[in-house]
Structure formats: C-alpha cells, structure tokens
Amino acid sequence: MHQTTIIDIARQLGISKSTVSRALTAHPNVNAKTRQRVLELAEKLDYQRNQLAISLLTNQTHTIGIMVPEFISFFFPKVIIGAQEELAKSGYNVIICHSNESYETEVANAKALLASRVDGLIVSHTKETRNFDHFMTFQRKGIPVVFFNRVCEAMNVSNVTVDDYNGAFQAVEHLIKTGRKRIAHLAGPDTLANSRNRLNGYRDALTAYGLPIDPELVIAYDLNLDKANIYVNHLLNLPNPPDALFAMNDPTALEALSVAKHRGLSVPDDLAIVGFSDDPISALIEPGLTTVSQPVDELGQQAGQVLLRQLSTKEDGFVPERIVLPTNLIIRGSTVN
C-alpha cells in the first residue's frame, strides 16, 4: 500500500518539494494560498509526517514517557491525566508504561522508553525498587527526569509530592483528640519515601501528645491486600488490641473496615479507622472513611509543568525543583459518630 509522500503532493500541485515541506511546517516564507492548497491536498491524501525522520533531524521526538507502578487504585490514572493535559498544551505526546509493582518490568520499561528516544520521563517507582541505575541512565543521556509520589532521594532530580508527614500527623492527631489511646499503623514498605514520611508523622503525633510508641502496633507490609487482612486480624487478636488504626492508604483502610465489620465490631466505637488518599469509594461506603485527601490532579499537572520547564532550560542552568503539595484531612463516620 502506497503511503503519500511530500514528492506526491509536490507533483500534483506542480511546486517544489522544499515549498511543500515549508508549507507543512508553517514556515513564514510560504504564501498563505499555497500553504492552504498544500494542507488541503495533504489531508485529502491522508499524508502522515515521518516523525522518525523529523526526530533525527531535530534530536527531539516531542514524546514523554510516563511510568507508574500500578493501575489498581484511582490515584495513578488521575495523575497521568493531569500530566498528559499539561504536556499536550505544549505539543507533547506521551507513552504510558505500567510496571505492575515489578522492578524487572520497570527496568524493561525504562529501556523501551530510551529506545523510543523520549524527550523526558515522569515516573513513580515500584515498591521493589532499590537500585535506580535504570533511571540514572536517563540523566547521563541528558534526558530530564521528574519523580512524583514515590521519589528517589539519592538522585538530584525534580520531584513532586504531597506533604505525607503532616497529613499523617493530622490523621493521628485527630484520632488522639477523639479519645483514642492505642493507635495502630499499617505502614507501607520502607523502600518508599512516602511510607517512611507517613510513619514518621504517626510517631511524632503520638510523641507530641504523650502517648507511647508501641512496636507491636506498627506493621510495615508490601501493600498486598490479602496480607492487610491478615495483619488487621493479627492486631485485633492482641491481648490489648488497638482502638484505632491509621492506614498507609485507603485500600488498606477499606480492608480494615471490612475485617472489623466481619468480626462484628462497631466502627468507630470499637475501632476508629483513618486512610490516606481519599479514594472516591471512601465517601460512598458506610460508614464513610475518614481520610487524608491529596490534590491528585494537581500532582500530575505540576509534574508536567516541572518537566516542561526543564525541557526549556539549558542543562547547565537547571536547578531541580522540589514541590510539596498540601494535604487535607476529611472527617467521616469511621472516626466520629
């Protein structure tokens, strides 16, 4: 099947290839009527620009890679939408890669994006990631990298996060002010900076209000919800069980709520529960889940904007940006009647 070329358009219109090329790229030296004729014929013949050839000439593909660890929660798709909208305003397309919380898949995705000659990368790494060499390769090649949500603290690159520490502090403070004394925490894996920040917020809130930090009430896990079920049951089976639970994220909190109901416990009377992220379902269940809300759309928008600023800045003049967005505690029926 023949693909329309610039030569085909030039022959049919009786003009030079260079004139057609300039018309297709909106060159100012082309007569407006000529340009209109070229564009109309190009559309009629379904002409497609050779993006590979253009990228080889300009050393730009106008394509950005976005890599996320999972699509199970609403969080990452929403961030992608926000970033994609910002990038599209400046004429960039995106390639989206899903790592499925697998380090090996993440490395393979990174190689695929490099082979696709992306101009930049927006990424949130997997819970398994401890070695970041595959992302450092982008840096060595002069390709800007922006981390969001899950960041690499060892790399001198831009990142966009929410205030995980203060969000956690406020969540635990709220539980304390409602009279809770034994507050458990189902934490995320220590490979994630946001897990560590939320754990620190939990601990500091207890300390600030004179409550002890009981190691048996803190369990770090790999965010597998089957394990969350096991760990919540374990906490509730303790001789002195917790009267409240602060969870790493809303899926964990919702699993805890399900376990409590299954055991015949009253939420919040027997067990108060707070999540983190404000998953849409959190407002629909009964009781509604008290949670820490994150500006998810803005996370994606800011990540896109930061990357665009870096792409427009000469490499020697770029200073990595650290953007931290505020969180907001939303109080619902899982902590107050």
Side-chain angles (χ1 to χ4, degrees):
M1 184 176 180
H2 177 70
Q3 184 173 340
T4 301
T5 66
I6 287 178
I7 295 175
D8 297 324
I9 297 173
R11 284 174 176 169
Q12 291 202 33
L13 294 178
I15 57 179
S16 67
K17 291 185 295 181
S18 59
T19 299
V20 172
S21 179
R22 288 195 295 269
L24 290 169
T25 55
H27 196 284
N29 291 341
V30 177
N31 179 278
K33 290 184 178 179
T34 300
R35 181 170 185 271
Q36 186 62 30
R37 290 172 61 211
V38 170
L39 293 177
E40 288 176 354
L41 183 58
E43 183 176 1
K44 179 180 178 181
L45 297 177
D46 193 26
Y47 168 74
Q48 302 293 322
R49 297 174 68 186
N50 188 331
Q51 196 60 47
L52 177 60
I54 294 170
S55 69
L56 290 172
L57 287 172
T58 63
N59 203 31
Q60 286 185 315
T61 61
H62 273 80
T63 303
I64 303 298
I66 301 180
M67 195 183 305
V68 297
E70 52 96 346
F71 281 153
I72 297 173
S73 68
F74 85 106
F75 178 84
F76 288 107
K78 287 271 285 182
V79 172
I80 289 171
I81 291 170
Q84 188 169 11
E85 288 176 348
E86 287 300 314
L87 296 169
K89 294 176 185 176
S90 296
Y92 284 89
N93 298 310
V94 302
I95 299 175
I96 299 167
C97 292
H98 170 234
S99 300
N100 198 29
E101 293 287 17
S102 163
Y103 170 74
E104 290 184 358
T105 302
E106 182 178 84
V107 172
N109 286 341
K111 291 178 179 178
L113 291 174
L114 285 169
S116 298
R117 299 171 57 88
V118 294
D119 295 335
L121 175 67
I122 295 174
V123 59
S124 190
H125 66 81
T126 78
K127 63 188 180 186
E128 295 182 351
T129 306
R130 287 179 169 82
N131 183 323
F132 292 87
D133 286 349
H134 50 302
F135 295 130
M136 293 178 183
T137 302
F138 286 81
Q139 272 191 301
R140 288 194 294 270
K141 292 180 176 292
I143 301 170
V145 178
V146 176
F147 280 93
F148 73 93
N149 187 55
R150 302 178 181 182
V151 304
C152 174
E153 296 166 317
M155 291 177 64
N156 187 32
V157 297
S158 294
N159 57 59
V160 183
T161 59
V162 302
D163 195 341
D164 293 294
Y165 173 87
N166 277 322
F169 189 101
Q170 290 172 8
V172 177
E173 181 180 53
H174 166 68
L175 290 170
I176 295 170
K177 288 183 175 180
T178 59
R180 311 297 165 166
K181 301 294 184 183
R182 283 182 58 77
I183 303 171
H185 179 40
L186 270 182
D190 63 6
T191 53
L192 303 181
N194 57 355
S195 296
R196 298 193 297 272
N197 290 333
R198 292 174 197 180
L199 176 59
N200 289 335
Y202 160 83
R203 287 172 170 164
D204 287 355
L206 293 179
T207 301
Y209 284 86
L211 294 178
I213 299 172
D214 188 342
E216 75 173 357
L217 294 181
V218 180
I219 300 175
Y221 85 112
D222 64 2
L223 305 181
N224 180 310
L225 292 182
D226 289 335
K227 292 181 182 178
N229 184 293
I230 294 170
Y231 294 139
V232 173
N233 275 296
H234 166 77
L235 289 168
L236 295 175
N237 287 333
L238 290 173
N240 187 12
D243 56 9
L245 171 68
F246 168 52
M248 166 66 183
N249 55 26
D250 278 4
T252 303
L254 293 170
E255 185 65 26
L257 184 60
S258 175
V259 170
K261 287 183 175 181
H262 183 74
R263 293 173 68 111
L265 298 178
S266 171
V267 177
D269 294 333
D270 298 321
L271 182 70
I273 301 173
V274 180
F276 202 113
S277 67
D278 195 24
D279 190 299
I281 197 173
S282 300
L284 303 177
I285 61 169
E286 182 59 39
L289 180 67
T290 294
T291 184
V292 179
S293 174
Q294 307 178 87
V296 184
D297 291 326
E298 190 177 355
L299 262 174
Q301 293 163 1
Q302 290 280 2
Q305 291 168 12
V306 169
L307 186 62
L308 289 171
R309 285 195 290 272
Q310 185 165 349
L311 287 166
S312 64
T313 303
K314 291 184 178 179
E315 187 175 344
D316 57 359
F318 173 73
V319 177
E321 298 182 48
R322 305 283 190 269
I323 296 177
V324 181
L325 303 176
T327 57
N328 179 44
L329 181 66
I330 298 177
I331 299 172
R332 299 192 180 108
S334 68
T335 57
V336 294
N337 289 310

